[in-house]
Structure formats: C-alpha cells, structure tokens
Amino acid sequence: MNLSKQQIEQFDREGYLFFPGLFNAEETKTLTDAVPELYSRREAYNVREKGSEAVRTNFAAHLYSEPFARLARHPRMVKPVEELFGEKLYMHQFKINGKMAFEGDVWQWHQDFGTWLNDDLMPEPRAMNVAIFLDDVNEFNGPLMFIPGSHKKGVLQAQHDLRTTSYPLWTVDNDLISQLVARAGGKQGGIVSPTGPAGSMILFHSCLVHASTSNLSPWNRVSVYLSLCAVSNHVRRFKRPEYIAHRDFTPIECLPDDCLLKDYPVDLPWKNGMPASAMETSLDEILQAA
Ligand code: SIN
Ligand code: MN
C-alpha cells in the first residue's frame, strides 16, 4: 500500500492517518477468534488490569500465535511505514490491548517515544505505531484520543507513573496537556478520536501525545498495536523484558496481501513457551555484577 502525497503531508501535519475498514470482516475474524485463548493463558506476557482478571495488554503474540505472526508481516501495516522511513523495519513491540467491557482501564496521556527513549534507549523517534481495531470502536468504549500536531513538539517532559494503572508509563502532566490541546484548536479539534468498524487501521507518530479513557460500556475494545522501528534505530538497552521490548532487529519481510486468509508458513519461536532469556534484563546483569 503506497501513501499519496496528500496522505504524507497530512501525516506530517497531524501526526496520524486513519484508514476506516481497511481489513474486511473475514480477515479481522481470523484475529479476533484467536484472542480469548491467548488471554486465558497464565503467562507473564498477559498483563491484567489492576484488581481485575481482565487482560489489559498481551505482548508478543506474533511469536507464538499463527494469525498474529501473519499480521506482523502484513504489507498493509508494514509497507506505509517502510515508505515513510525509507528503510526496513523490525518489530520493537507487539501488543493486543484488551480495554474490555466494564473493566478496561485508562491509558494516561503519553508519548510512546518517551518510554522507548527513557527505558529502551531508542536513539530517534524513527518508530511508528500501527493500530488495528479488532472490535468496532465508538465514543463509548474508550477510543484512542490524539492531540493533532503534538508530535511536532518532540520529546516532552514526562514522569514515570507506577501507580495509576497496572502498567508503568512515562506520562505527560495536565498543565502541558492543556497547553497542547489549546494550541491544537481547543474545543475545535484540539483532541480527536478516530472511531470506526473493526478492521480499521491507524498509523501514528511515536511523539504524538495520546490517551484513552476507561471502558464503562458493554462493548470490548480490543486493538492490536505494532510498533515498527527503523532497523538502524534499534534500541541500545535491554532494561525491559524481551516480551515487552524486542531484541531481534531482523528486518521484517512482508507476506502477500491475502496472508490473513491463507495459511502461509510463519516462524513461531515462542510456540512452546517463552525462553528464560526473555525475562532477563540488562539491569539484572548489573545487579548480579554488583
Ligand atoms: C497505548 O497507548 O499504548 C495504548 C492505548 C490504548 O490502547 O488505548
Ligand atoms: Mn501509547
């Protein structure tokens, strides 16, 4: 999939592109059907909501689930990012976020690159998030919110929030968010929220400030996020476990466009469980050496 000149300009200006209904119902179903079994696993890669059994986020399914391994090589998700960066990509992070009905908790205001820089020592914001909705997303089930153009501000000051939710995040404070929203148009477009059917895709800049509210509706809002990093921009530190921030910088080779509907063979290195090394971090090594 090639981006038009107009789309490239829009991405540069706003920091995101929205593709409603890019994947059809049959394609999306191959993914949605696999989620309950993945979420039922008692594994470190399933992070549950605070005080609840609901899965907040599942990591690295592309290494142990066939449909998600195919999605991770899908040209509709990978090619536009390759084109924008002019370089091959590797998978920095792969997650299936639950945001389950009644239980899905907030994601505080943040930039993804803040975490990738502070935790993983990723040199530049040459990594992109590509989201695909596995459920219909509406105004009630906790859609992503963006502050258009906020990526132009570069890396913002952030605090490491270990308290609000079950997942640590480098978050941006309320005063700065208010300023950014006012700058982006205040009540007229200062916050946008792409909503649409299952199968819709969003591509967003790693410095774009985003958040989502809790899901008090009776509808799940499961979405997959590929975080694709330019190979030359690979992370320089392994502070987080490998299932969260990957250490294999091999360039992604795309499958054909119909890969969600045909059984193309894919490698599943973690099919029989995560290797112990995936839990090791460079901080462990430092602590052991001390
Ligand atoms: C994220 O920012 O990584 C996830 C946000 C969401 O799923 O709402
Ligand atoms: Mn994020």
Side-chain angles (χ1 to χ4, degrees):
M1 192 174 78
N2 290 329
L3 297 175
S4 65
K5 185 168 172 284
Q6 192 202 358
Q7 284 172 317
I8 293 171
E9 282 167 6
Q10 186 180 344
F11 177 77
D12 179 56
R13 196 173 55 247
E14 316 229 318
Y16 73 98
L17 290 171
F18 184 43
F19 303 86
L22 186 72
F23 292 85
N24 68 30
E26 198 188 347
E27 291 176 312
T28 310
K29 189 174 177 334
T30 64
L31 302 166
T32 316
D33 285 354
V35 172
E37 189 277 320
L38 294 175
Y39 276 7
S40 74
R41 298 183 186 184
R42 292 276 147 195
E43 297 283 354
Y45 53 63
N46 275 331
V47 176
R48 288 167 203 278
E49 299 285 10
K50 210 172 187 172
S52 155
E53 282 299 289
V55 171
R56 175 175 180 78
T57 185
N58 161 284
F59 287 101
H62 66 305
L63 299 180
Y64 48 83
S65 159
E66 275 192 30
F68 288 101
R70 294 195 185 101
L71 182 72
R73 296 162 173 82
H74 203 295
R76 272 176 253 164
M77 302 192 85
V78 175
K79 287 288 172 194
V81 184
E82 258 182 29
E83 190 183 325
L84 280 166
F85 288 149
E87 192 183 333
K88 294 294 263 183
L89 310 168
Y90 79 93
M91 190 67 68
H92 172 59
Q93 188 173 75
F94 187 102
K95 53 193 202 282
I96 312 171
N97 281 4
K99 187 72 70 134
M100 304 308 274
F102 300 113
E103 310 244 32
D105 202 353
V106 301
W107 286 84
Q108 314 91 305
W109 285 108
H110 68 283
Q111 297 175 303
D112 283 359
F113 185 64
T115 300
W116 300 341
L117 174 70
N118 287 311
D119 284 347
D120 308 325
L121 296 186
M122 184 185 282
E124 301 287 331
R126 283 174 56 76
M128 184 88 71
N129 273 320
V130 193
I132 143 170
F133 301 171
L134 297 193
D135 290 303
D136 297 344
V137 176
N138 56 43
E139 66 196 286
F140 307 108
N141 61 356
L144 268 179
M145 302 187 288
F146 296 132
I147 304 177
S150 52
H151 63 301
K152 297 273 188 192
K153 289 284 179 190
V155 183
L156 299 168
Q157 209 193 335
Q159 298 81 38
H160 203 202
D161 181 356
L162 299 162
R163 284 185 308 112
T164 308
T165 73
S166 60
Y167 185 69
L169 207 60
W170 289 85
T171 61
V172 179
D173 77 32
N174 295 348
D175 283 347
L176 190 45
I177 294 299
S178 305
Q179 288 169 31
L180 291 169
V181 171
R183 171 185 169 273
K187 289 181 181 166
Q188 274 76 47
I191 300 179
V192 296
S193 206
T195 54
S200 300
M201 182 174 98
I202 310 175
L203 199 146
F204 63 99
H205 195 286
S206 57
C207 289
L208 192 69
V209 179
H210 60 285
S212 63
T213 61
S214 61
N215 182 5
L216 291 180
S217 83
W219 306 296
N220 293 339
R221 196 228 64 181
V222 178
S223 303
V224 186
Y225 295 82
L226 276 61
S227 301
L228 298 165
C229 184
V231 170
S232 65
N233 190 48
H234 65 79
V235 299
R236 304 299 200 249
R237 177 167 68 181
F238 300 158
K239 178 183 161 190
R240 300 194 292 169
E242 191 181 358
Y243 64 88
I244 297 180
H246 293 295
R247 301 165 187 177
D248 178 355
F249 310 138
T250 310
I252 297 170
E253 293 303 332
C254 286
L255 289 170
D257 192 75
D258 60 357
C259 62
L260 291 179
L261 302 176
K262 288 195 183 150
D263 289 344
Y264 294 102
V266 276
D267 233 16
L268 294 176
W270 293 3
K271 191 172 192 287
N272 299 318
M274 264 196 306
S277 59
M279 304 292 284
E280 281 165 18
T281 62
S282 45
L283 282 190
D284 293 341
E285 285 159 32
I286 293 162
L287 290 172
Q288 274 160 19

